[in-house]
Amino acid sequence: MDEHRTGPRRSEQARLAVLGAAAELLARTGYENLTIEAIARQAGVGKQTIYRWWPSRGAILAEALLEGLIFRQELAVGDTGDLRRDLTDWVERVHAVLATDQGRALFRALLAAAAENPELGELLRVQLGADGGVRARLAASGEAGPAAGVADVVADAIAGVIILRALSGQAPAAGSAAALIASLLPG
């Protein structure tokens, strides 16, 4: 994420310390209690170091998400050989995260940060499937359709439904994950 920045390059050790501290504090204290000061203290770096490399706690969390430090299990797409079942299971796990107060608050903060920062938006897009596990699983299955770009469109559609539900606070109805996948991958 820092390849577009000018000025001093990030220390990889400090970067990983900040990301790890943010993930640990998020799990321990929740998003609403997560502060830049606490992250800096936990990581053993100065606040100025954090602000030099990340504009907000949402940006830190977006990068931690990309690195697999947050919601690793929930965002991993399985491969049982049954594409529809794997994607349905993934959507249900993401919905379960969004059903918690912490998951909903974190996701909304990530969306807000992404709306203000295109780099963060791309990171979130990657994690929600457009370039990550969902797209890769679709492309590997060969079931997404004959056109090369169909896997991208299906992955974006799944991410779009998840984002819309997160923003609206609407709880998914029973069976909605299976219905979504069936509508995108009929047959």
Side-chain angles (χ1 to χ4, degrees):
M1 185 169 136
D2 64 336
E3 62 269 2
H4 301 295
R5 298 190 188 281
T6 60
R9 293 189 52 81
R10 288 198 270 194
S11 155
E12 185 64 7
Q13 182 179 358
R15 184 184 81 84
L16 293 174
V18 168
L19 297 178
E24 183 180 327
L25 288 168
L26 176 70
R28 193 169 63 220
T29 66
Y31 179 77
E32 40 304 315
N33 297 314
L34 185 68
T35 65
I36 296 294
E37 293 79 11
I39 294 169
R41 190 172 39 255
Q42 178 84 13
V45 302
K47 285 185 347 184
Q48 69 279 10
T49 298
I50 292 177
Y51 282 119
R52 185 179 316 124
W53 296 328
W54 294 280
S56 66
R57 65 183 176 163
I60 297 168
L61 293 174
E63 192 166 332
L65 185 72
L66 180 65
E67 292 286 338
L69 299 173
I70 301 172
F71 300 129
R72 179 184 300 237
Q73 293 293 83
E74 293 84 347
L75 293 177
V77 179
D79 188 351
T80 65
D82 182 339
L83 177 65
R84 286 163 188 77
R85 185 173 79 196
D86 294 342
L87 294 180
T88 298
D89 177 61
W90 183 81
V91 171
E92 287 172 347
R93 284 185 280 124
V94 172
H95 282 167
V97 168
L98 295 176
T100 68
D101 289 340
Q102 179 174 315
R104 198 168 29 259
L106 172 61
F107 197 70
R108 286 182 178 163
L110 292 174
L111 289 174
E116 293 179 6
N117 183 325
E119 282 183 36
L120 295 179
E122 186 57 23
L123 290 177
L124 192 56
R125 181 177 181 269
V126 166
Q127 278 301 66
L128 282 179
D131 296 321
V134 171
R135 187 205 167 285
R137 181 69 182 87
L138 283 161
S141 75
E143 293 184 50
V150 172
D152 292 335
V153 172
V154 171
D156 282 349
I158 294 169
V161 168
I162 291 169
I163 289 168
L164 184 60
R165 289 244 165 88
L167 290 175
S168 70
Q170 176 188 13
S176 66
L180 169 65
I181 299 306
S183 69
L184 295 170
L185 300 173

